[in-house]
Amino acid sequence: MDKFEKLNQFMNQRKKKYVITILVVLAVFIAIFSIVLVALDLGDMIIPFILGLIGAYVWLGIFYALYVFKRLDKNKSEIIKTMHAAELNYQKYKNQLKEMGFVTSKHYSGFGYKWVEFRNILNLVDNLHLEIDEVNKKVAYYFLYLDGDSDIYIMNFSDLISTRLESEEISGKIVKYAVTIKVKHEIGEIGLPVNDNEGFILNSEKGLNYQNQAKQLMTEINKIIIEG
């Protein structure tokens, strides 16, 4: 199954989920109102009331389903556009690095797009990249724009100054968790999000995994700074 088939399957499952939810809520409402009307001894009103309720809910459900389906189809189009652009740009930048004589020894990347839930489903290309050339002692940093080109920043090991971990918490969840590297370059700093643009609880299994990833990246960069 290719990426587009997986995306279609996911979207169809999401649509079915919304339809089932609408039907379940309808059944629950009918049951509740029937019980209330019987309890109030308004049995004669049950049938016309329920019929009216069903009619109103069906129309409401239809309009809501159409709205959701339209939104999902729009999201699908944006995801396909993102996927194509990211893959084309990524290959282009890899070719540019190769032409420049850059030999990739290690490659780190981070996911900054908003389509977090589709990253693993569709194996989307990350949009922030840090590559290390241990042969020529250089570092390449670039990010994939969806519209237009991005610069590839090539720095020597000696251009790297220090690292720090940036974290931001909102409502009990870490929403920003990134390794930032200070460099002797006009851009001043470069960085990679470790949490893939996804909120998490710090001491959860996922949180511990992100902490280990951050630690690994910072250890690698600090090693380069010492060698630089």
Side-chain angles (χ1 to χ4, degrees), residues 27-88:
V28 171
F29 274 168
I30 291 175
I32 292 175
F33 278 106
S34 297
I35 293 172
V36 171
L37 290 173
V38 170
L40 295 176
D41 195 22
L42 299 175
D44 294 339
M45 297 178 57
I46 290 178
I47 295 179
F49 185 85
I50 289 180
L51 289 176
L53 179 64
I54 291 175
Y57 188 87
V58 166
W59 280 109
L60 181 62
I62 289 173
F63 284 122
Y64 179 71
L66 290 175
Y67 164 76
V68 170
F69 290 179
K70 183 178 180 180
R71 188 183 65 186
L72 288 175
D73 288 339
K74 180 181 178 182
N75 289 346
K76 177 182 174 182
S77 298
E78 291 182 7
I79 292 168
I80 291 175
K81 178 183 177 182
T82 297
M83 185 165 57
H84 277 313
E87 289 177 349
L88 288 173

Side-chain angles (χ1 to χ4, degrees), residues 133-160:
D133 179 353
E134 295 177 330
V135 176
N136 300 301
K137 292 192 173 183
K138 292 183 180 295
V139 172
Y141 178 76
Y142 58 96
F143 39 95
L144 306 181
Y145 281 130
L146 300 184
D147 298 310
D149 293 333
S150 165
D151 292 327
I152 298 180
Y153 300 104
I154 306 293
M155 292 157 282
N156 298 317
F157 278 11
S158 58
D159 290 329
L160 276 58

Side-chain angles (χ1 to χ4, degrees), residues 103-144:
V103 182
T104 301
S105 307
K106 295 178 181 177
H107 178 203
Y108 296 92
S109 61
F111 190 77
Y113 301 123
K114 62 182 179 179
W115 311 114
V116 177
E117 62 184 322
F118 296 102
R119 184 191 188 198
N120 295 328
I121 296 175
L122 303 177
N123 193 26
L124 291 178
V125 176
D126 288 351
N127 63 331
L128 291 158
H129 298 265
L130 177 69
E131 302 196 31
I132 299 172
D133 179 353
E134 295 177 330
V135 176
N136 300 301
K137 292 192 173 183
K138 292 183 180 295
V139 172
Y141 178 76
Y142 58 96
F143 39 95
L144 306 181

Side-chain angles (χ1 to χ4, degrees), residues 11-30:
M11 289 301 186
N12 288 334
Q13 289 175 348
R14 183 62 64 86
K15 289 178 180 179
K16 289 179 182 178
K17 181 180 177 181
Y18 278 111
V19 171
I20 292 172
T21 299
I22 290 171
L23 294 176
V24 169
V25 173
L26 172 61
V28 171
F29 274 168
I30 291 175

